[in-house]
Amino acid sequence: MNEEQFGRAMADIHARALTDADFKAALIADPASVLREAGVEVPEGTSIVVVENSPSTNYLVLPDPEAVSDEILSAASGGSTVSSFGTLPLTASTIGTH
């Protein structure tokens, strides 16, 4: 799965979780399985945690410093972009897929 396919898969997962309560519950209960079913490679031993923002609580997710390239660090030094889906850039490499 390339970066573009990964981005589309994650966007589809986010959209479906917003509109399908059963899918959202499955995603929260067993995110690795749901991601794998969507074609996202999740390495064995990788823990995925799904959290949901609320009106009074928002989550800031920091990337694994070992997984962040110099290019991303350089781009971030001028500021970062945050979306309702988390901190960008969201890439396959941030969860260890290639």
Side-chain angles (χ1 to χ4, degrees):
M1 174 176 281
N2 64 35
E3 294 293 328
E4 183 178 333
Q5 292 166 324
F6 175 80
R8 276 189 262 134
M10 295 306 294
D12 290 347
I13 289 167
H14 280 114
R16 186 168 174 198
L18 292 172
T19 60
D20 181 336
D22 291 336
F23 179 81
K24 178 179 169 181
L27 180 62
I28 291 169
D30 191 359
S33 291
V34 172
L35 291 171
R36 286 184 184 112
E37 288 173 15
V40 176
E41 296 175 36
V42 179
E44 289 301 320
T46 299
S47 177
I48 306 288
V49 178
V50 175
V51 295
E52 182 176 21
N53 289 336
S54 72
S56 62
T57 304
N58 285 272
Y59 295 90
L60 172 63
V61 179
L62 302 176
D64 172 359
E66 294 179 22
V68 179
S69 70
D70 288 339
E71 180 182 346
I72 291 172
L73 287 173
S74 178
S77 68
S80 63
T81 303
V82 177
S83 77
S84 60
F85 299 127
T87 303
L88 298 178
L90 178 63
T91 67
S93 61
T94 63
I95 64 166
T97 63
H98 300 318

